[in-house]
Amino acid sequence: MMHDDAHAGNGVAAIPSGEVFVQLSDLHIGAEGTLPYGTDTAGNLRAVAAMIRSMDLRPAAVLLTGDLSDKGDPESYRHLRSIVAEEIEPIGCPVLTIVGNHDHRGAFRQAYLGESSADDSLAYNYTFDTDKTRVVMCDSYVTGSVYGHLGPEQLNWLDDQLATADDRVTIVALHHPSVPRGVPRADDYLLDDRADFEAVLLRHRVGAILCGHSHVSTASSFGGTVHVTAPATAYLLDPSVRQGGRAFAGAGFSICTV
C-alpha cells in the first residue's frame, strides 16, 4: 500500500518511508522427516526465509497466516517451532501466527506456544501495535471444516480493536478469504460470515486485509479496503485451470508496505 504525495525533482515519484510486514501463509509443515503431498514443505519454508533474510526489508513483523501444520499434530508444531527459531527469527522482528483449517488450536497452543494446558475451543486472536500500525490477528478456524467463521463475539472484539487504533493504520489478518480466488470450486472455502465481517470493516478506516488459504495470489477490493491473499509456501495452485484444479511446485510470500 503506497501513496504518492511527494515527487522528486526529476519527475520520478518518491516512495515515502513506511513499515513493512512480510506475510507467509499455508506452510503445511509435517513432522520432521515427512513430505506432505510428496513435497518438502519444510525445505520450501527454509528457502523462503533465506530469501527474505537476503532482502533489504527490515520488516516490523513476519505474519504466518494459518495452515501452519498440515495435519495439526504436535510433532509438526514442534518441527515448525524449530524452523521459526532457526530461519525466521533471525530476520530480527516479531513472528505473528494465526491458525487455519489444517491446524488444531489445542496442539498449536501446547506444542508451538508452549502452553501447559489448552484445548481446541479457545479462539487465538490478538493485536500487535507499532507506532504507526495496528495488526489485528483474527481466528477464522472452524474445527473439521474448510470454510472460515469469525462469529459475533470475535466480530465485536474486532470492532473494538479497529475503533481504538487511534492514528495507526490498521491491518486485519486472518486465514480465510472473503473473495473467491478464481480457481474453479464451490465457495465453501471462504469466510461464511463475510457479510458481517464487511459491515465491521466499513465502520472504520482499514489499510488492508491479509488472508491465506487460497494457494493463489489475488488482490481485490472488499469492505472499503484492499483484500489480498498470499501465495502458499507449501505449494501453489494454477488459476488458469478452468476444470478441477492443478497444484504445482512453487513457494511464495507477500510484502505489505504501510
Side-chain angles (χ1 to χ4, degrees), residues 64-116:
L64 309 182
T65 52
D67 283 1
L68 310 173
S69 164
D70 187 54
K71 295 183 178 179
D73 53 300
E75 293 79 9
S76 64
Y77 292 116
R78 284 190 279 269
H79 190 197
L80 174 62
R81 178 69 262 175
S82 67
I83 296 173
V84 167
E86 295 167 8
E87 305 285 356
I88 300 179
E89 288 177 353
I91 294 170
C93 63
V95 181
L96 312 180
T97 55
I98 47 177
V99 293
N101 56 292
H102 276 254
D103 290 304
H104 185 281
R105 283 199 200 106
F108 163 74
R109 285 181 175 275
Q110 292 184 39
Y112 184 89
L113 296 180
E115 297 180 4
S116 57

Side-chain angles (χ1 to χ4, degrees), residues 164-237:
T164 58
D166 300 321
D167 293 331
R168 295 182 180 92
V169 176
T170 54
I171 295 173
V172 179
L174 70 164
H175 182 65
H176 291 85
S178 295
V179 179
R181 64 188 173 186
V183 175
R185 72 166 283 163
D187 291 345
D188 60 351
Y189 65 94
L190 298 176
L191 191 72
D192 74 341
D193 53 352
R194 55 193 176 275
D196 296 330
F197 177 46
E198 183 174 32
V200 172
L201 297 173
L202 287 170
R203 289 198 285 271
H204 306 280
R205 187 172 67 90
V206 177
I209 307 159
L210 304 183
C211 309
H213 193 40
S214 292
H215 291 239
V216 173
S217 178
T218 64
S220 61
S221 59
F222 179 82
T225 189
V226 60
H227 174 288
V228 177
T229 61
T233 68
Y235 65 89
L236 305 179
L237 288 175

Side-chain angles (χ1 to χ4, degrees), residues 39-59:
T39 300
D40 186 0
T41 58
N44 283 359
L45 179 57
R46 291 180 184 277
V48 166
M51 175 63 70
I52 295 165
R53 292 197 308 271
S54 74
M55 300 172 71
D56 186 20
L57 292 176
R58 298 184 297 277

Side-chain angles (χ1 to χ4, degrees), residues 93-180:
C93 63
V95 181
L96 312 180
T97 55
I98 47 177
V99 293
N101 56 292
H102 276 254
D103 290 304
H104 185 281
R105 283 199 200 106
F108 163 74
R109 285 181 175 275
Q110 292 184 39
Y112 184 89
L113 296 180
E115 297 180 4
S116 57
S117 61
D119 61 31
D120 198 49
S121 63
L122 183 62
Y124 183 63
N125 53 16
Y126 56 96
T127 60
F128 172 79
D129 286 342
T130 71
D131 290 339
K132 299 178 181 179
T133 310
R134 166 164 287 184
V135 182
V136 187
M137 305 290 284
C138 294
D139 186 338
S140 57
Y141 165 87
V142 179
T143 305
S145 298
V146 69
Y147 68 89
H149 184 79
L150 293 173
E153 182 177 349
Q154 188 171 192
L155 287 170
N156 288 336
W157 172 82
L158 171 62
D159 200 6
D160 182 64
Q161 302 310 307
L162 297 177
T164 58
D166 300 321
D167 293 331
R168 295 182 180 92
V169 176
T170 54
I171 295 173
V172 179
L174 70 164
H175 182 65
H176 291 85
S178 295
V179 179

